[in-house]
Amino acid sequence: MPRNLDLTAMRSFATVADAGGVTRAAGLLHLTQSAVSMQIKRLEDSLGRTLLDRSGRGVSLTADGEQLLGYARRMLRLNDEVYARLTDQAYEGEVVMGVPADVVYPAIPEVLKQFHAEYPRMRVQLISSYTSRLKAMFARGECDIVLTTEDTMDAGGETLTTLPLVWVGAPGGQAWRNRPLRLAFEYNCIFRKGVQQALDEARIPWEMGVESDTTRAIEASLSADLAVYAIIEGTVQPYLEVIDHGGALPDLAVTQVNMYAAQSNGGQAVDDLLTMIRKAFAAL
């Protein structure tokens, strides 16, 4: 007799694999950790195979788990496509969202992935720019949602999280030891002035080693160990690292990640997108 796989358990399994652990997967699925663990255990029992290697500190896939993951993704993708096409919840439309480049990672890719899975007919146009430009676009009605990094918040905004700035540079780099300290910043970076002021107050000489209109040029200079930069804690790219300077550099200010959403752009899809964004930044 044919046996049926539990798609709910398959979704939990695939989410654990993608998120790298049960705790984060539970948050993405809006379930408790125990519920996710029980679903995966039930799936393992039904298949008679161990899917997750739980012997280490983290969670990794076994060989059987790796084999199942490809099937699980295809099954879930087909399930979501059928559900979206044949139900009244197949929302269509476009949301324009602006996000500063320095807070795109790691939260936004997971948000976009989750939103697309739940609303495959909705298109999210992502605009990456600096805070002042994004706020101007929002004021003109050119963006439905914008995230900002700023010290305060305007009326109608919502603070998602408040985090400190940290010094970053090349992995194992030595640029932070040089005096004058060479800085790399975009021309319109909101953190630039505060960093320079902190160095002045600490009486550390500095110079602008790299200036650019693009974040990519700054990141390339940092990776080459030509200068240092400041970024929000928890958003450091894997090809850079937080500088362990042992107090040789001053502590930096904290900043708010704020969200502004157009009041006229309602609907369940947008409400769910806002909730996904809140959860993603709360996890930082």
Side-chain angles (χ1 to χ4, degrees):
M1 177 182 294
R3 299 178 63 185
N4 297 321
L5 289 166
D6 183 343
L7 278 180
T8 300
M10 292 280 274
R11 191 179 299 277
S12 291
F13 166 69
T15 305
V16 169
D18 291 338
V22 173
T23 301
R24 192 171 184 192
L28 294 173
L29 293 167
H30 311 297
L31 297 172
T32 63
Q33 294 181 45
S34 60
V36 173
S37 296
M38 287 177 61
Q39 288 177 1
I40 294 176
K41 183 64 168 62
R42 188 164 61 245
L43 183 60
E44 289 178 322
D45 291 343
S46 69
L47 294 171
R49 302 293 180 93
T50 300
L51 303 175
L52 299 180
D53 182 357
R54 304 172 177 84
S55 60
R57 293 183 60 185
V59 173
S60 60
L61 298 182
T62 64
D64 289 327
E66 290 176 345
Q67 186 174 26
L68 177 64
L69 183 59
Y71 290 113
R73 285 173 173 161
R74 295 203 298 272
M75 292 172 66
L76 292 170
R77 192 159 50 240
L78 183 59
N79 172 85
D80 295 343
E81 180 182 343
V82 171
Y83 191 82
R85 288 181 181 275
L86 299 181
T87 69
D88 292 334
Q89 297 186 27
Y91 291 88
E92 294 183 348
E94 180 181 74
V95 180
V96 181
M97 182 168 67
V99 184
D102 49 5
V103 293
V104 168
Y105 294 97
I108 297 303
E110 285 296 331
V111 168
L112 296 178
K113 182 178 180 180
Q114 183 183 1
F115 185 73
H116 177 69
E118 296 190 20
Y119 297 95
R121 294 188 185 182
M122 291 288 293
R123 178 172 179 261
V124 179
Q125 180 183 350
L126 185 65
I127 298 174
S128 179
S129 188
Y130 47 89
T131 288
S132 58
R133 177 171 179 258
L134 292 176
K135 292 182 74 173
M137 293 179 67
F138 182 75
R140 294 193 298 266
E142 297 172 2
C143 289
D144 302 303
I145 302 168
V146 296
L147 305 187
T148 65
T149 52
E150 49 192 339
D151 297 331
T152 58
M153 182 177 63
D154 294 343
E158 173 186 351
T159 298
L160 299 175
T161 188
T162 301
L163 294 168
L165 298 179
V166 292
W167 295 99
V168 295
Q174 299 299 309
W176 64 272
R177 298 181 182 275
N178 297 331
R179 298 293 182 271
L181 182 68
R182 292 173 60 84
L183 303 177
F185 278 97
E186 300 95 328
Y187 291 112
N188 295 292
C189 180
I190 197 170
F191 305 140
R192 178 172 173 162
K193 183 177 180 180
V195 168
Q196 293 170 347
Q197 183 177 346
L199 290 170
D200 288 340
E201 291 174 355
R203 298 185 178 181
I204 295 176
W206 57 270
E207 63 182 11
M208 290 306 305
V210 182
E211 296 180 281
S212 175
D213 288 323
T214 67
T215 301
R216 284 296 188 189
I218 298 300
E219 291 174 344
S221 302
L222 296 174
S223 298
D225 199 25
L226 300 179
V228 299
Y229 185 62
I231 199 168
I232 296 174
E233 185 179 65
T235 64
V236 182
Q237 296 281 40
Y239 45 83
L240 301 174
E241 71 176 11
V242 176
I243 298 171
D244 183 12
H245 54 78
L249 298 177
D251 291 335
L252 299 173
V254 298
T255 192
Q256 296 176 187
V257 179
N258 297 328
M259 179 167 68
Y260 300 85
Q263 297 298 316
S264 59
N265 192 21
Q268 187 63 48
V270 174
D271 288 345
D272 286 350
L273 176 58
L274 296 175
T275 299
M276 293 172 194
I277 294 171
R278 292 185 186 103
K279 288 180 176 293
F281 278 90
L284 293 180

